[in-house]
Amino acid sequence: METEYREQFIRFGLKVQYYRKLRGMTDEIGKSWSFVAKIESPTRPFGVSMETLFKIAEVLEVPTAKLFED
């Protein structure tokens, strides 16, 4: 995916990975493992819908904004 927000997408994915591992979760965010792997990839940006974003934050029990903090 070509985007001018490449770094932000990658940072978001790494935050998802951080909070998922912090909570000892594997696939509990309600998406397939391959989908989660795409989100968390440190080399390829991958966007998600707002609905998926809110669901991920809810399952990880973090405010949505935490997934975007530096």
Side-chain angles (χ1 to χ4, degrees):
M1 165 163 124
E2 292 299 319
T3 176
E4 64 182 283
Y5 303 106
R6 175 181 170 71
E7 296 304 316
Q8 290 92 330
F9 277 95
I10 302 241
R11 249 192 331 270
F12 165 75
L14 293 175
K15 286 286 187 165
V16 170
Q17 182 181 61
Y18 170 79
Y19 285 111
R20 183 180 58 77
K21 287 183 176 183
L22 184 68
R23 288 172 176 56
M25 299 175 150
T26 53
D27 61 355
E28 291 89 351
I29 67 169
K31 298 290 181 183
S32 70
W33 175 245
S34 62
F35 186 83
V36 174
K38 287 178 184 177
I39 293 170
E40 295 179 357
S41 172
T43 58
R44 270 188 330 168
F46 185 79
V48 299
S49 70
M50 293 294 289
E51 186 166 339
T52 299
L53 168 65
F54 293 137
K55 180 64 176 176
I56 289 170
E58 178 184 312
V59 171
L60 294 176
E61 298 178 352
V62 297
T64 305
K66 283 276 195 196
L67 299 175
F68 295 99
E69 290 180 350
D70 287 336

